[in-house]
Amino acid sequence: MKRSVITAGVDEGRVISSKEVSRKGLEEQDIFRILANISQELWIEFLKDNLWDDKNKRLYHRWRDGSRDDAQIFDTHAYLLSGIVELYGASLKSEYLSFAIEIADRMIEAFYDPEAGGFYQSTGTKDLIIRLKEDYDGAEPSGNSVAVLALLKLAAITGKESYRQTADKTLGYFSGRMKSMAVAVPYMVSAADFASREPNRVVIAGSVDSSK
């Protein structure tokens, strides 16, 4: 029987605090690291089980008590992609990279405008009068800004040129906005800065069990 994400996290926390600390004498930072790893794995497991349709490669927007809506929202994809890319960067787990690629491909397929560049806020439906491409970075960055930076990082990691081309074309679409009112799109500007130079790479060689 599956436990809820919250319950599992609490249960695992009790195990660590009571048994692991007494047996291994773990430091406080080690405890937080273990709890963080458990939390991220539970989060990914929950998301894949309830919000991601692996067969149809479809990401749902909302889930509650076993039911989910049918909405396809661009920002949901952009923010999730960004989070998964950062999670891969922190853990180097191949399954996170594979999931990021799936999310990126779905996001581009569903929301990207290949002719002009930029991402629409929603998929095209018959009852939708107009499709918008949001760019304003307010209290939260816009989906376009988040998606561009995530795609640039994913392109650097995978070497997949199509991700870079999608990001560059989106930057081109919003270039006028960045020139005329950069203060309104600071996250987009930071993505453009990232795109303007080759990212630093660090290669660490040796055994994972080595203390050196």
Side-chain angles (χ1 to χ4, degrees):
M1 181 178 178
K2 284 191 175 182
R3 294 170 295 174
S4 69
V5 174
I6 296 176
T7 302
V10 170
D11 289 348
E12 295 293 353
R14 287 172 181 163
V15 170
I16 291 170
S17 62
S18 62
K19 295 182 180 179
E20 294 284 352
V21 174
S22 61
R23 188 171 75 248
K24 297 182 179 179
L26 294 178
E27 298 292 337
E28 184 178 271
Q29 59 266 31
D30 295 321
I31 298 172
F32 284 126
R33 175 179 52 79
I34 294 170
L35 285 172
N37 289 335
I38 292 171
S39 177
Q40 70 186 26
E41 289 174 3
L42 289 170
W43 172 67
I44 294 293
E45 179 184 348
F46 173 83
L47 192 149
K48 284 187 172 181
D49 287 346
N50 298 285
L51 290 168
W52 175 249
D53 184 342
D54 189 58
K55 181 179 179 180
N56 298 308
K57 306 302 179 186
R58 187 182 180 104
L59 178 66
Y60 293 91
H61 180 65
R62 179 190 59 79
W63 178 93
R64 181 179 181 183
D65 296 334
S67 64
R68 55 193 182 190
D69 64 2
D70 197 40
Q72 294 287 284
I73 307 298
F74 166 59
D75 284 7
T76 305
H77 292 69
Y79 272 91
L80 177 60
L81 174 61
S82 177
I84 299 297
V85 169
E86 296 302 326
L87 193 55
Y88 169 73
S91 67
L92 298 181
K93 291 185 177 181
S94 59
E95 59 265 32
Y96 295 159
L97 180 58
S98 298
F99 190 35
I101 291 171
E102 289 183 313
I103 296 295
D105 290 345
R106 171 57 186 168
M107 181 181 73
I108 293 170
E109 176 190 9
F111 305 101
Y112 181 61
D113 179 358
E115 295 184 5
F119 291 87
Y120 293 110
Q121 293 305 109
S122 58
T123 57
T125 58
K126 294 180 180 180
D127 58 344
L128 194 62
I129 299 175
I130 186 172
R131 298 177 71 191
L132 301 175
K133 298 176 184 176
E134 181 60 56
D135 64 355
Y136 178 65
D137 296 328
E140 295 180 351
S142 71
N144 271 286
S145 298
V146 172
V148 167
L149 186 55
L151 287 173
L152 288 170
K153 291 181 178 180
L154 193 58
I157 293 169
T158 63
K160 194 170 182 179
E161 189 62 26
S162 62
Y163 293 151
R164 174 72 194 219
Q165 292 171 352
T166 299
D168 285 345
K169 196 164 186 176
T170 300
L171 286 172
Y173 179 83
F174 292 110
S175 60
R177 180 74 158 166
M178 286 188 282
K179 290 177 182 178
S180 64
M181 195 175 291
V183 69
V185 286
Y187 202 92
M188 183 77 73
V189 172
S190 70
D193 179 65
F194 184 93
S196 68
R197 49 191 169 181
E198 185 69 19
N200 295 325
R201 290 178 170 83
V202 177
V203 177
I204 302 175
S207 172
V208 295
D209 299 323
S210 174
S211 60
K212 297 181 179 179

Tab-separated table of all heavy atoms in Angstrom, residues 23-74:
chain	number	residue	atom	x	y	z
A	23	ARG	N	23.260	5.374	15.238
A	23	ARG	CA	24.143	4.339	14.734
A	23	ARG	C	25.373	4.911	14.031
A	23	ARG	O	26.480	4.429	14.163
A	23	ARG	CB	23.383	3.422	13.773
A	23	ARG	CG	24.204	2.195	13.366
A	23	ARG	CD	23.381	1.186	12.584
A	23	ARG	NE	23.134	1.624	11.226
A	23	ARG	CZ	21.944	1.974	10.756
A	23	ARG	NH1	20.896	1.953	11.560
A	23	ARG	NH2	21.774	2.353	9.504
A	24	LYS	N	25.182	5.968	13.248
A	24	LYS	CA	26.266	6.509	12.437
A	24	LYS	C	26.799	7.840	12.953
A	24	LYS	O	27.838	8.299	12.514
A	24	LYS	CB	25.779	6.692	11.002
A	24	LYS	CG	25.390	5.385	10.326
A	24	LYS	CD	24.971	5.659	8.878
A	24	LYS	CE	24.599	4.365	8.167
A	24	LYS	NZ	24.175	4.622	6.772
A	25	GLY	N	26.077	8.446	13.882
A	25	GLY	CA	26.517	9.731	14.386
A	25	GLY	C	26.546	10.795	13.306
A	25	GLY	O	27.526	11.524	13.159
A	26	LEU	N	25.495	10.874	12.530
A	26	LEU	CA	25.455	11.805	11.420
A	26	LEU	C	25.436	13.253	11.892
A	26	LEU	O	24.837	13.578	12.909
A	26	LEU	CB	24.212	11.551	10.559
A	26	LEU	CG	24.160	10.218	9.816
A	26	LEU	CD1	22.845	10.112	9.065
A	26	LEU	CD2	25.326	10.086	8.843
A	27	GLU	N	26.106	14.109	11.117
A	27	GLU	CA	26.070	15.534	11.376
A	27	GLU	C	24.751	16.114	10.888
A	27	GLU	O	24.042	15.506	10.095
A	27	GLU	CB	27.238	16.226	10.655
A	27	GLU	CG	28.612	15.774	11.104
A	27	GLU	CD	28.929	16.188	12.532
A	27	GLU	OE1	28.313	17.167	13.004
A	27	GLU	OE2	29.771	15.530	13.168
A	28	GLU	N	24.434	17.307	11.381
A	28	GLU	CA	23.168	17.939	11.020
A	28	GLU	C	23.032	18.118	9.515
A	28	GLU	O	21.970	17.859	8.945
A	28	GLU	CB	23.063	19.288	11.719
A	28	GLU	CG	21.720	19.990	11.488
A	28	GLU	CD	21.629	21.300	12.245
A	28	GLU	OE1	21.193	21.286	13.400
A	28	GLU	OE2	22.017	22.325	11.653
A	29	GLN	N	24.123	18.538	8.835
A	29	GLN	CA	24.043	18.748	7.394
A	29	GLN	C	23.803	17.438	6.648
A	29	GLN	O	23.175	17.420	5.599
A	29	GLN	CB	25.310	19.427	6.866
A	29	GLN	CG	26.615	18.675	7.111
A	29	GLN	CD	27.287	19.129	8.381
A	29	GLN	OE1	26.607	19.530	9.323
A	29	GLN	NE2	28.621	19.083	8.413
A	30	ASP	N	24.309	16.324	7.210
A	30	ASP	CA	24.072	15.022	6.592
A	30	ASP	C	22.599	14.647	6.684
A	30	ASP	O	22.029	14.073	5.748
A	30	ASP	CB	24.915	13.939	7.265
A	30	ASP	CG	26.401	14.147	7.053
A	30	ASP	OD1	26.772	14.550	5.936
A	30	ASP	OD2	27.176	13.912	7.982
A	31	ILE	N	21.989	14.963	7.806
A	31	ILE	CA	20.566	14.663	7.997
A	31	ILE	C	19.727	15.443	6.990
A	31	ILE	O	18.837	14.893	6.332
A	31	ILE	CB	20.119	15.004	9.435
A	31	ILE	CG1	20.894	14.146	10.441
A	31	ILE	CG2	18.621	14.789	9.594
A	31	ILE	CD1	20.669	14.549	11.880
A	32	PHE	N	20.025	16.742	6.836
A	32	PHE	CA	19.284	17.561	5.890
A	32	PHE	C	19.491	17.065	4.460
A	32	PHE	O	18.572	17.077	3.648
A	32	PHE	CB	19.715	19.029	6.007
A	32	PHE	CG	19.163	19.728	7.210
A	32	PHE	CD1	19.999	20.378	8.103
A	32	PHE	CD2	17.800	19.725	7.466
A	32	PHE	CE1	19.489	21.022	9.213
A	32	PHE	CE2	17.274	20.366	8.575
A	32	PHE	CZ	18.121	21.012	9.456
A	33	ARG	N	20.710	16.613	4.154
A	33	ARG	CA	20.992	16.119	2.809
A	33	ARG	C	20.184	14.858	2.520
A	33	ARG	O	19.600	14.712	1.445
A	33	ARG	CB	22.489	15.814	2.675
A	33	ARG	CG	22.867	15.186	1.332
A	33	ARG	CD	24.374	14.943	1.253
A	33	ARG	NE	24.867	14.199	2.386
A	33	ARG	CZ	24.754	12.875	2.517
A	33	ARG	NH1	24.131	12.171	1.580
A	33	ARG	NH2	25.235	12.253	3.570
A	34	ILE	N	20.125	13.942	3.492
A	34	ILE	CA	19.368	12.704	3.317
A	34	ILE	C	17.884	13.001	3.160
A	34	ILE	O	17.201	12.449	2.286
A	34	ILE	CB	19.601	11.752	4.513
A	34	ILE	CG1	21.058	11.290	4.520
A	34	ILE	CG2	18.666	10.551	4.420
A	34	ILE	CD1	21.450	10.545	5.784
A	35	LEU	N	17.377	13.899	4.001
A	35	LEU	CA	15.965	14.269	3.917
A	35	LEU	C	15.658	14.936	2.577
A	35	LEU	O	14.603	14.705	1.981
A	35	LEU	CB	15.600	15.200	5.069
A	35	LEU	CG	15.449	14.552	6.450
A	35	LEU	CD1	15.274	15.626	7.514
A	35	LEU	CD2	14.286	13.583	6.474
A	36	ALA	N	16.578	15.762	2.085
A	36	ALA	CA	16.381	16.438	0.799
A	36	ALA	C	16.326	15.427	-0.327
A	36	ALA	O	15.501	15.539	-1.244
A	36	ALA	CB	17.504	17.447	0.555
A	37	ASN	N	17.189	14.415	-0.277
A	37	ASN	CA	17.187	13.377	-1.314
A	37	ASN	C	15.889	12.588	-1.297
A	37	ASN	O	15.314	12.285	-2.352
A	37	ASN	CB	18.373	12.425	-1.112
A	37	ASN	CG	19.698	13.071	-1.447
A	37	ASN	OD1	19.743	14.019	-2.229
A	37	ASN	ND2	20.774	12.569	-0.870
A	38	ILE	N	15.415	12.254	-0.101
A	38	ILE	CA	14.147	11.532	0.020
A	38	ILE	C	13.008	12.380	-0.521
A	38	ILE	O	12.147	11.912	-1.265
A	38	ILE	CB	13.886	11.157	1.488
A	38	ILE	CG1	14.891	10.105	1.954
A	38	ILE	CG2	12.457	10.632	1.666
A	38	ILE	CD1	14.847	9.828	3.446
A	39	SER	N	13.014	13.682	-0.160
A	39	SER	CA	11.946	14.584	-0.583
A	39	SER	C	11.882	14.707	-2.093
A	39	SER	O	10.802	14.626	-2.687
A	39	SER	CB	12.176	15.963	0.052
A	39	SER	OG	11.199	16.879	-0.382
A	40	GLN	N	13.024	14.880	-2.762
A	40	GLN	CA	13.014	15.062	-4.206
A	40	GLN	C	12.593	13.791	-4.920
A	40	GLN	O	11.870	13.832	-5.931
A	40	GLN	CB	14.383	15.526	-4.705
A	40	GLN	CG	15.490	14.497	-4.638
A	40	GLN	CD	16.839	15.079	-5.009
A	40	GLN	OE1	17.067	16.267	-4.864
A	40	GLN	NE2	17.749	14.230	-5.467
A	41	GLU	N	13.002	12.643	-4.406
A	41	GLU	CA	12.617	11.387	-5.028
A	41	GLU	C	11.121	11.127	-4.872
A	41	GLU	O	10.459	10.653	-5.807
A	41	GLU	CB	13.430	10.239	-4.423
A	41	GLU	CG	14.897	10.258	-4.848
A	41	GLU	CD	15.728	9.221	-4.131
A	41	GLU	OE1	15.137	8.454	-3.343
A	41	GLU	OE2	16.952	9.178	-4.349
A	42	LEU	N	10.572	11.449	-3.701
A	42	LEU	CA	9.139	11.295	-3.484
A	42	LEU	C	8.350	12.249	-4.368
A	42	LEU	O	7.294	11.901	-4.904
A	42	LEU	CB	8.799	11.538	-2.008
A	42	LEU	CG	9.246	10.464	-1.019
A	42	LEU	CD1	9.068	10.958	0.401
A	42	LEU	CD2	8.470	9.178	-1.248
A	43	TRP	N	8.859	13.465	-4.520
A	43	TRP	CA	8.194	14.467	-5.360
A	43	TRP	C	8.137	14.006	-6.810
A	43	TRP	O	7.084	14.074	-7.456
A	43	TRP	CB	8.935	15.792	-5.233
A	43	TRP	CG	8.467	16.841	-6.184
A	43	TRP	CD1	7.257	17.457	-6.196
A	43	TRP	CD2	9.201	17.402	-7.288
A	43	TRP	NE1	7.195	18.370	-7.228
A	43	TRP	CE2	8.366	18.354	-7.910
A	43	TRP	CE3	10.487	17.183	-7.780
A	43	TRP	CZ2	8.775	19.081	-9.018
A	43	TRP	CZ3	10.901	17.910	-8.888
A	43	TRP	CH2	10.043	18.848	-9.492
A	44	ILE	N	9.257	13.521	-7.325
A	44	ILE	CA	9.301	13.047	-8.707
A	44	ILE	C	8.393	11.840	-8.884
A	44	ILE	O	7.668	11.720	-9.876
A	44	ILE	CB	10.744	12.693	-9.118
A	44	ILE	CG1	11.613	13.951	-9.156
A	44	ILE	CG2	10.755	12.007	-10.473
A	44	ILE	CD1	11.244	14.929	-10.241
A	45	GLU	N	8.423	10.925	-7.922
A	45	GLU	CA	7.579	9.735	-7.992
A	45	GLU	C	6.097	10.109	-8.016
A	45	GLU	O	5.320	9.587	-8.812
A	45	GLU	CB	7.864	8.822	-6.798
A	45	GLU	CG	7.014	7.557	-6.772
A	45	GLU	CD	7.240	6.727	-5.524
A	45	GLU	OE1	8.201	7.009	-4.789
A	45	GLU	OE2	6.431	5.806	-5.273
A	46	PHE	N	5.712	11.039	-7.141
A	46	PHE	CA	4.312	11.479	-7.089
A	46	PHE	C	3.904	12.137	-8.399
A	46	PHE	O	2.838	11.879	-8.946
A	46	PHE	CB	4.120	12.460	-5.931
A	46	PHE	CG	2.757	13.096	-5.896
A	46	PHE	CD1	1.691	12.432	-5.307
A	46	PHE	CD2	2.529	14.335	-6.471
A	46	PHE	CE1	0.426	13.001	-5.289
A	46	PHE	CE2	1.275	14.916	-6.457
A	46	PHE	CZ	0.219	14.247	-5.864
A	47	LEU	N	4.770	13.002	-8.920
A	47	LEU	CA	4.461	13.736	-10.146
A	47	LEU	C	4.290	12.777	-11.320
A	47	LEU	O	3.344	12.888	-12.103
A	47	LEU	CB	5.578	14.737	-10.429
A	47	LEU	CG	5.319	15.796	-11.502
A	47	LEU	CD1	6.083	17.069	-11.159
A	47	LEU	CD2	5.747	15.305	-12.870
A	48	LYS	N	5.198	11.830	-11.446
A	48	LYS	CA	5.115	10.875	-12.555
A	48	LYS	C	3.889	9.978	-12.438
A	48	LYS	O	3.275	9.619	-13.437
A	48	LYS	CB	6.384	10.025	-12.603
A	48	LYS	CG	7.589	10.758	-13.174
A	48	LYS	CD	8.759	9.797	-13.350
A	48	LYS	CE	9.889	10.465	-14.106
A	48	LYS	NZ	11.024	9.530	-14.315
A	49	ASP	N	3.532	9.625	-11.209
A	49	ASP	CA	2.379	8.745	-10.998
A	49	ASP	C	1.049	9.450	-11.239
A	49	ASP	O	0.088	8.826	-11.707
A	49	ASP	CB	2.384	8.187	-9.568
A	49	ASP	CG	3.451	7.129	-9.363
A	49	ASP	OD1	4.003	6.649	-10.366
A	49	ASP	OD2	3.745	6.805	-8.199
A	50	ASN	N	0.971	10.753	-10.941
A	50	ASN	CA	-0.319	11.428	-10.929
A	50	ASN	C	-0.498	12.553	-11.951
A	50	ASN	O	-1.632	12.860	-12.330
A	50	ASN	CB	-0.584	12.002	-9.530
A	50	ASN	CG	-0.656	10.926	-8.471
A	50	ASN	OD1	-1.637	10.211	-8.374
A	50	ASN	ND2	0.396	10.810	-7.671
A	51	LEU	N	0.579	13.181	-12.374
A	51	LEU	CA	0.451	14.338	-13.264
A	51	LEU	C	1.096	14.147	-14.633
A	51	LEU	O	0.900	14.979	-15.519
A	51	LEU	CB	1.058	15.580	-12.591
A	51	LEU	CG	0.263	16.125	-11.409
A	51	LEU	CD1	1.086	17.153	-10.643
A	51	LEU	CD2	-1.040	16.748	-11.882
A	52	TRP	N	1.842	13.092	-14.804
A	52	TRP	CA	2.517	12.854	-16.077
A	52	TRP	C	1.989	11.574	-16.723
A	52	TRP	O	1.999	10.506	-16.115
A	52	TRP	CB	4.027	12.747	-15.872
A	52	TRP	CG	4.804	12.396	-17.109
A	52	TRP	CD1	5.466	11.229	-17.360
A	52	TRP	CD2	5.006	13.213	-18.270
A	52	TRP	NE1	6.079	11.278	-18.583
A	52	TRP	CE2	5.816	12.477	-19.170
A	52	TRP	CE3	4.583	14.487	-18.628
A	52	TRP	CZ2	6.204	12.991	-20.414
A	52	TRP	CZ3	4.968	14.992	-19.863
A	52	TRP	CH2	5.763	14.258	-20.729
A	53	ASP	N	1.511	11.698	-17.954
A	53	ASP	CA	1.045	10.553	-18.728
A	53	ASP	C	2.206	10.091	-19.600
A	53	ASP	O	2.494	10.680	-20.639
A	53	ASP	CB	-0.153	10.967	-19.597
A	53	ASP	CG	-0.752	9.800	-20.364
A	53	ASP	OD1	-0.076	8.760	-20.511
A	53	ASP	OD2	-1.890	9.930	-20.844
A	54	ASP	N	2.884	9.049	-19.159
A	54	ASP	CA	4.095	8.614	-19.856
A	54	ASP	C	3.789	8.066	-21.251
A	54	ASP	O	4.591	8.242	-22.177
A	54	ASP	CB	4.812	7.549	-19.029
A	54	ASP	CG	6.180	7.208	-19.594
A	54	ASP	OD1	7.010	8.125	-19.722
A	54	ASP	OD2	6.417	6.037	-19.913
A	55	LYS	N	2.639	7.442	-21.411
A	55	LYS	CA	2.281	6.864	-22.703
A	55	LYS	C	2.066	7.949	-23.750
A	55	LYS	O	2.566	7.856	-24.881
A	55	LYS	CB	1.013	6.018	-22.559
A	55	LYS	CG	0.575	5.365	-23.861
A	55	LYS	CD	-0.672	4.526	-23.655
A	55	LYS	CE	-1.129	3.889	-24.973
A	55	LYS	NZ	-2.358	3.057	-24.796
A	56	ASN	N	1.307	8.980	-23.401
A	56	ASN	CA	0.996	10.056	-24.339
A	56	ASN	C	1.911	11.269	-24.196
A	56	ASN	O	1.732	12.262	-24.901
A	56	ASN	CB	-0.461	10.497	-24.153
A	56	ASN	CG	-1.443	9.385	-24.451
A	56	ASN	OD1	-1.388	8.769	-25.508
A	56	ASN	ND2	-2.339	9.100	-23.503
A	57	LYS	N	2.866	11.193	-23.261
A	57	LYS	CA	3.803	12.294	-23.004
A	57	LYS	C	3.041	13.596	-22.770
A	57	LYS	O	3.227	14.600	-23.436
A	57	LYS	CB	4.781	12.458	-24.181
A	57	LYS	CG	5.524	11.195	-24.548
A	57	LYS	CD	6.317	10.636	-23.367
A	57	LYS	CE	7.040	9.355	-23.731
A	57	LYS	NZ	7.695	8.718	-22.578
A	58	ARG	N	2.177	13.559	-21.775
A	58	ARG	CA	1.299	14.695	-21.479
A	58	ARG	C	1.390	15.065	-20.008
A	58	ARG	O	1.310	14.197	-19.132
A	58	ARG	CB	-0.143	14.325	-21.846
A	58	ARG	CG	-1.150	15.460	-21.744
A	58	ARG	CD	-2.536	14.941	-22.086
A	58	ARG	NE	-3.528	15.995	-21.992
A	58	ARG	CZ	-4.072	16.622	-23.021
A	58	ARG	NH1	-3.687	16.286	-24.252
A	58	ARG	NH2	-4.980	17.555	-22.868
A	59	LEU	N	1.566	16.351	-19.737
A	59	LEU	CA	1.653	16.853	-18.373
A	59	LEU	C	0.356	17.550	-17.988
A	59	LEU	O	-0.069	18.483	-18.660
A	59	LEU	CB	2.822	17.831	-18.235
A	59	LEU	CG	3.022	18.476	-16.860
A	59	LEU	CD1	3.423	17.427	-15.826
A	59	LEU	CD2	4.076	19.573	-16.934
A	60	TYR	N	-0.258	17.100	-16.905
A	60	TYR	CA	-1.502	17.702	-16.440
A	60	TYR	C	-1.202	18.845	-15.470
A	60	TYR	O	-0.141	18.896	-14.843
A	60	TYR	CB	-2.390	16.653	-15.786
A	60	TYR	CG	-2.895	15.622	-16.768
A	60	TYR	CD1	-2.188	14.443	-16.996
A	60	TYR	CD2	-4.059	15.832	-17.499
A	60	TYR	CE1	-2.634	13.497	-17.910
A	60	TYR	CE2	-4.515	14.900	-18.415
A	60	TYR	CZ	-3.795	13.733	-18.614
A	60	TYR	OH	-4.225	12.811	-19.531
A	61	HIS	N	-2.170	19.734	-15.350
A	61	HIS	CA	-1.961	20.968	-14.595
A	61	HIS	C	-2.329	20.834	-13.117
A	61	HIS	O	-1.710	21.460	-12.265
A	61	HIS	CB	-2.792	22.086	-15.231
A	61	HIS	CG	-2.672	23.403	-14.539
A	61	HIS	ND1	-1.488	24.109	-14.480
A	61	HIS	CD2	-3.585	24.152	-13.853
A	61	HIS	CE1	-1.678	25.229	-13.818
A	61	HIS	NE2	-2.926	25.278	-13.415
A	62	ARG	N	-3.337	20.029	-12.810
A	62	ARG	CA	-3.836	19.952	-11.435
A	62	ARG	C	-4.228	18.523	-11.087
A	62	ARG	O	-4.717	17.777	-11.927
A	62	ARG	CB	-5.061	20.860	-11.280
A	62	ARG	CG	-5.689	20.834	-9.891
A	62	ARG	CD	-7.020	21.552	-9.884
A	62	ARG	NE	-7.989	20.976	-10.802
A	62	ARG	CZ	-8.690	19.872	-10.533
A	62	ARG	NH1	-8.526	19.224	-9.389
A	62	ARG	NH2	-9.561	19.411	-11.421
A	63	TRP	N	-4.005	18.147	-9.826
A	63	TRP	CA	-4.416	16.844	-9.319
A	63	TRP	C	-4.959	17.014	-7.908
A	63	TRP	O	-4.399	17.754	-7.103
A	63	TRP	CB	-3.223	15.886	-9.281
A	63	TRP	CG	-3.546	14.523	-8.735
A	63	TRP	CD1	-3.913	13.421	-9.447
A	63	TRP	CD2	-3.522	14.111	-7.363
A	63	TRP	NE1	-4.120	12.352	-8.609
A	63	TRP	CE2	-3.888	12.746	-7.313
A	63	TRP	CE3	-3.231	14.759	-6.164
A	63	TRP	CZ2	-3.959	12.025	-6.131
A	63	TRP	CZ3	-3.319	14.041	-4.972
A	63	TRP	CH2	-3.674	12.685	-4.968
A	64	ARG	N	-6.076	16.337	-7.644
A	64	ARG	CA	-6.626	16.358	-6.291
A	64	ARG	C	-7.477	15.121	-6.062
A	64	ARG	O	-8.370	14.812	-6.848
A	64	ARG	CB	-7.473	17.613	-6.059
A	64	ARG	CG	-8.049	17.686	-4.637
A	64	ARG	CD	-8.867	18.933	-4.407
A	64	ARG	NE	-9.380	18.972	-3.051
A	64	ARG	CZ	-10.189	19.921	-2.577
A	64	ARG	NH1	-10.551	20.918	-3.362
A	64	ARG	NH2	-10.617	19.880	-1.330
A	65	ASP	N	-7.186	14.414	-4.978
A	65	ASP	CA	-7.965	13.238	-4.566
A	65	ASP	C	-8.164	12.251	-5.713
A	65	ASP	O	-9.257	11.713	-5.913
A	65	ASP	CB	-9.332	13.677	-4.016
A	65	ASP	CG	-9.206	14.507	-2.758
A	65	ASP	OD1	-8.191	14.344	-2.052
A	65	ASP	OD2	-10.110	15.320	-2.493
A	66	GLY	N	-7.114	12.039	-6.482
A	66	GLY	CA	-7.172	11.030	-7.534
A	66	GLY	C	-7.685	11.507	-8.871
A	66	GLY	O	-7.692	10.743	-9.835
A	67	SER	N	-8.124	12.747	-8.970
A	67	SER	CA	-8.631	13.265	-10.246
A	67	SER	C	-7.749	14.421	-10.718
A	67	SER	O	-7.178	15.148	-9.915
A	67	SER	CB	-10.077	13.754	-10.097
A	67	SER	OG	-10.143	14.852	-9.212
A	68	ARG	N	-7.656	14.588	-12.023
A	68	ARG	CA	-6.841	15.651	-12.597
A	68	ARG	C	-7.599	16.322	-13.725
A	68	ARG	O	-8.478	15.736	-14.346
A	68	ARG	CB	-5.512	15.092	-13.105
A	68	ARG	CG	-5.647	13.947	-14.107
A	68	ARG	CD	-4.318	13.257	-14.316
A	68	ARG	NE	-4.414	12.186	-15.297
A	68	ARG	CZ	-3.456	11.293	-15.527
A	68	ARG	NH1	-2.330	11.359	-14.833
A	68	ARG	NH2	-3.604	10.346	-16.436
A	69	ASP	N	-7.245	17.580	-13.957
A	69	ASP	CA	-7.938	18.320	-15.003
A	69	ASP	C	-7.310	18.014	-16.360
A	69	ASP	O	-6.335	17.270	-16.464
A	69	ASP	CB	-7.898	19.823	-14.726
A	69	ASP	CG	-6.487	20.381	-14.746
A	69	ASP	OD1	-5.545	19.613	-15.021
A	69	ASP	OD2	-6.322	21.579	-14.504
A	70	ASP	N	-7.869	18.607	-17.407
A	70	ASP	CA	-7.389	18.349	-18.758
A	70	ASP	C	-6.665	19.563	-19.325
A	70	ASP	O	-6.371	19.619	-20.518
A	70	ASP	CB	-8.571	17.974	-19.660
A	70	ASP	CG	-8.121	17.295	-20.935
A	70	ASP	OD1	-7.195	16.471	-20.861
A	70	ASP	OD2	-8.675	17.606	-22.010
A	71	ALA	N	-6.385	20.544	-18.491
A	71	ALA	CA	-5.756	21.778	-18.963
A	71	ALA	C	-4.295	21.549	-19.312
A	71	ALA	O	-3.590	20.801	-18.636
A	71	ALA	CB	-5.871	22.864	-17.899
A	72	GLN	N	-3.858	22.207	-20.367
A	72	GLN	CA	-2.462	22.176	-20.777
A	72	GLN	C	-1.929	23.603	-20.669
A	72	GLN	O	-2.228	24.450	-21.517
A	72	GLN	CB	-2.336	21.644	-22.196
A	72	GLN	CG	-2.744	20.195	-22.358
A	72	GLN	CD	-1.708	19.247	-21.767
A	72	GLN	OE1	-0.662	19.020	-22.354
A	72	GLN	NE2	-1.995	18.714	-20.596
A	73	ILE	N	-1.151	23.879	-19.636
A	73	ILE	CA	-0.669	25.228	-19.353
A	73	ILE	C	0.837	25.300	-19.598
A	73	ILE	O	1.607	24.488	-19.073
A	73	ILE	CB	-0.976	25.631	-17.901
A	73	ILE	CG1	-2.473	25.424	-17.597
A	73	ILE	CG2	-0.564	27.077	-17.653
A	73	ILE	CD1	-3.393	26.267	-18.434
A	74	PHE	N	1.247	26.282	-20.384
A	74	PHE	CA	2.659	26.412	-20.728
A	74	PHE	C	3.546	26.617	-19.507
A	74	PHE	O	4.610	25.991	-19.365
A	74	PHE	CB	2.854	27.557	-21.721
A	74	PHE	CG	4.279	27.988	-21.883
A	74	PHE	CD1	5.245	27.097	-22.314
A	74	PHE	CD2	4.658	29.298	-21.593
A	74	PHE	CE1	6.574	27.485	-22.447
A	74	PHE	CE2	5.977	29.693	-21.726
A	74	PHE	CZ	6.936	28.796	-22.157
